[in-house]
mmCIF file of all heavy atoms in Angstrom:
data_model
loop_
_atom_site.group_PDB
_atom_site.id
_atom_site.type_symbol
_atom_site.label_atom_id
_atom_site.label_comp_id
_atom_site.label_asym_id
_atom_site.label_seq_id
_atom_site.Cartn_x
_atom_site.Cartn_y
_atom_site.Cartn_z
ATOM 1 N N GLY Z 79 -8.918 -6.977 27.536
ATOM 2 C CA GLY Z 79 -9.036 -6.947 26.084
ATOM 3 C C GLY Z 79 -7.740 -7.013 25.400
ATOM 4 O O GLY Z 79 -7.676 -7.653 24.228
ATOM 5 N N VAL Z 80 -6.562 -6.669 25.940
ATOM 6 C CA VAL Z 80 -5.271 -6.791 25.280
ATOM 7 C C VAL Z 80 -4.975 -8.236 25.094
ATOM 8 O O VAL Z 80 -4.628 -8.682 24.050
ATOM 9 C CB VAL Z 80 -4.205 -6.048 25.958
ATOM 10 C CG1 VAL Z 80 -2.738 -6.370 25.429
ATOM 11 C CG2 VAL Z 80 -4.302 -4.517 26.035
ATOM 12 N N GLU Z 81 -5.129 -9.018 26.164
ATOM 13 C CA GLU Z 81 -4.870 -10.501 26.112
ATOM 14 C C GLU Z 81 -5.758 -11.115 25.220
ATOM 15 O O GLU Z 81 -5.410 -12.006 24.348
ATOM 16 C CB GLU Z 81 -4.876 -11.054 27.486
ATOM 17 C CG GLU Z 81 -4.569 -12.510 27.483
ATOM 18 C CD GLU Z 81 -4.515 -13.162 28.970
ATOM 19 O OE1 GLU Z 81 -4.302 -12.345 29.924
ATOM 20 O OE2 GLU Z 81 -4.763 -14.289 29.074
ATOM 21 N N ARG Z 82 -7.082 -10.841 25.322
ATOM 22 C CA ARG Z 82 -8.031 -11.437 24.488
ATOM 23 C C ARG Z 82 -7.909 -11.253 23.009
ATOM 24 O O ARG Z 82 -7.906 -12.158 22.168
ATOM 25 C CB ARG Z 82 -9.547 -10.976 24.863
ATOM 26 C CG ARG Z 82 -10.654 -11.625 24.176
ATOM 27 C CD ARG Z 82 -11.947 -11.295 24.751
ATOM 28 N NE ARG Z 82 -12.222 -9.955 25.043
ATOM 29 C CZ ARG Z 82 -12.656 -9.080 24.123
ATOM 30 N NH1 ARG Z 82 -12.954 -9.463 22.935
ATOM 31 N NH2 ARG Z 82 -12.900 -7.770 24.426
ATOM 32 N N TRP Z 83 -7.493 -9.881 22.618
ATOM 33 C CA TRP Z 83 -7.301 -9.673 21.241
ATOM 34 C C TRP Z 83 -6.010 -10.146 20.719
ATOM 35 O O TRP Z 83 -5.828 -10.562 19.555
ATOM 36 C CB TRP Z 83 -7.500 -8.088 20.877
ATOM 37 C CG TRP Z 83 -8.950 -7.769 20.813
ATOM 38 C CD1 TRP Z 83 -9.728 -7.143 21.727
ATOM 39 C CD2 TRP Z 83 -9.852 -8.147 19.781
ATOM 40 N NE1 TRP Z 83 -11.006 -6.968 21.306
ATOM 41 C CE2 TRP Z 83 -11.059 -7.603 20.112
ATOM 42 C CE3 TRP Z 83 -9.608 -8.792 18.615
ATOM 43 C CZ2 TRP Z 83 -12.239 -7.844 19.267
ATOM 44 C CZ3 TRP Z 83 -10.764 -8.916 17.727
ATOM 45 C CH2 TRP Z 83 -12.027 -8.448 18.017
ATOM 46 N N SER Z 84 -4.982 -10.241 21.626
ATOM 47 C CA SER Z 84 -3.661 -10.845 21.241
ATOM 48 C C SER Z 84 -3.961 -12.408 20.988
ATOM 49 O O SER Z 84 -3.369 -12.971 19.995
ATOM 50 C CB SER Z 84 -2.643 -10.712 22.396
ATOM 51 O OG SER Z 84 -2.318 -9.427 22.462
ATOM 52 N N ASP Z 85 -4.686 -13.013 21.806
ATOM 53 C CA ASP Z 85 -5.076 -14.434 21.536
ATOM 54 C C ASP Z 85 -5.802 -14.582 20.245
ATOM 55 O O ASP Z 85 -5.606 -15.460 19.458
ATOM 56 C CB ASP Z 85 -5.896 -15.023 22.771
ATOM 57 C CG ASP Z 85 -5.100 -15.199 24.071
ATOM 58 O OD1 ASP Z 85 -3.905 -15.110 23.980
ATOM 59 O OD2 ASP Z 85 -5.677 -15.384 25.081
ATOM 60 N N ALA Z 86 -6.782 -13.726 20.034
ATOM 61 C CA ALA Z 86 -7.613 -13.787 18.806
ATOM 62 C C ALA Z 86 -6.719 -13.578 17.583
ATOM 63 O O ALA Z 86 -6.898 -14.335 16.555
ATOM 64 C CB ALA Z 86 -8.662 -12.713 18.845
ATOM 65 N N ALA Z 87 -5.645 -12.746 17.632
ATOM 66 C CA ALA Z 87 -4.836 -12.417 16.484
ATOM 67 C C ALA Z 87 -4.008 -13.679 16.272
ATOM 68 O O ALA Z 87 -3.469 -13.965 15.125
ATOM 69 C CB ALA Z 87 -3.961 -11.230 16.727
ATOM 70 N N ARG Z 88 -3.570 -14.394 17.305
ATOM 71 C CA ARG Z 88 -2.809 -15.594 17.140
ATOM 72 C C ARG Z 88 -3.624 -16.837 16.606
ATOM 73 O O ARG Z 88 -3.151 -17.570 15.796
ATOM 74 C CB ARG Z 88 -2.111 -16.001 18.485
ATOM 75 C CG ARG Z 88 -0.914 -15.207 18.867
ATOM 76 C CD ARG Z 88 -0.240 -15.723 20.044
ATOM 77 N NE ARG Z 88 -0.970 -15.647 21.281
ATOM 78 C CZ ARG Z 88 -0.899 -14.551 22.103
ATOM 79 N NH1 ARG Z 88 -0.184 -13.493 21.738
ATOM 80 N NH2 ARG Z 88 -1.557 -14.432 23.105
ATOM 81 N N ALA Z 89 -4.937 -16.866 16.883
ATOM 82 C CA ALA Z 89 -5.758 -17.954 16.536
ATOM 83 C C ALA Z 89 -6.494 -17.751 15.271
ATOM 84 O O ALA Z 89 -6.773 -18.746 14.552
ATOM 85 C CB ALA Z 89 -6.804 -18.143 17.655
ATOM 86 N N ASP Z 90 -6.595 -16.599 14.805
ATOM 87 C CA ASP Z 90 -7.365 -16.278 13.544
ATOM 88 C C ASP Z 90 -6.379 -15.863 12.501
ATOM 89 O O ASP Z 90 -5.812 -14.676 12.612
ATOM 90 C CB ASP Z 90 -8.500 -15.251 13.822
ATOM 91 C CG ASP Z 90 -9.329 -14.875 12.583
ATOM 92 O OD1 ASP Z 90 -8.841 -14.723 11.549
ATOM 93 O OD2 ASP Z 90 -10.551 -14.690 12.914
ATOM 94 N N SER Z 91 -6.249 -16.543 11.439
ATOM 95 C CA SER Z 91 -5.260 -16.167 10.357
ATOM 96 C C SER Z 91 -5.536 -14.806 9.730
ATOM 97 O O SER Z 91 -4.639 -14.093 9.391
ATOM 98 C CB SER Z 91 -5.196 -17.251 9.349
ATOM 99 O OG SER Z 91 -6.284 -17.420 8.623
ATOM 100 N N ALA Z 92 -6.806 -14.481 9.620
ATOM 101 C CA ALA Z 92 -7.152 -13.161 9.049
ATOM 102 C C ALA Z 92 -6.749 -12.088 9.896
ATOM 103 O O ALA Z 92 -6.128 -11.060 9.430
ATOM 104 C CB ALA Z 92 -8.649 -13.052 8.649
ATOM 105 N N LEU Z 93 -6.967 -12.208 11.197
ATOM 106 C CA LEU Z 93 -6.533 -11.164 12.168
ATOM 107 C C LEU Z 93 -5.007 -11.086 12.269
ATOM 108 O O LEU Z 93 -4.290 -10.033 12.391
ATOM 109 C CB LEU Z 93 -7.197 -11.447 13.542
ATOM 110 C CG LEU Z 93 -8.713 -11.127 13.640
ATOM 111 C CD1 LEU Z 93 -9.184 -11.498 14.964
ATOM 112 C CD2 LEU Z 93 -9.020 -9.815 13.126
ATOM 113 N N ALA Z 94 -4.315 -12.285 12.249
ATOM 114 C CA ALA Z 94 -2.882 -12.286 12.275
ATOM 115 C C ALA Z 94 -2.347 -11.486 10.995
ATOM 116 O O ALA Z 94 -1.355 -10.793 11.128
ATOM 117 C CB ALA Z 94 -2.419 -13.766 12.339
ATOM 118 N N ALA Z 95 -2.934 -11.863 9.876
ATOM 119 C CA ALA Z 95 -2.479 -11.076 8.633
ATOM 120 C C ALA Z 95 -2.762 -9.622 8.728
ATOM 121 O O ALA Z 95 -1.895 -8.781 8.303
ATOM 122 C CB ALA Z 95 -3.126 -11.752 7.454
#
Side-chain angles (χ1 to χ4, degrees):
V80 172
E81 183 176 334
R82 184 168 49 83
W83 280 105
S84 291
D85 290 345
R88 283 189 288 274
D90 181 320
S91 61
L93 291 180

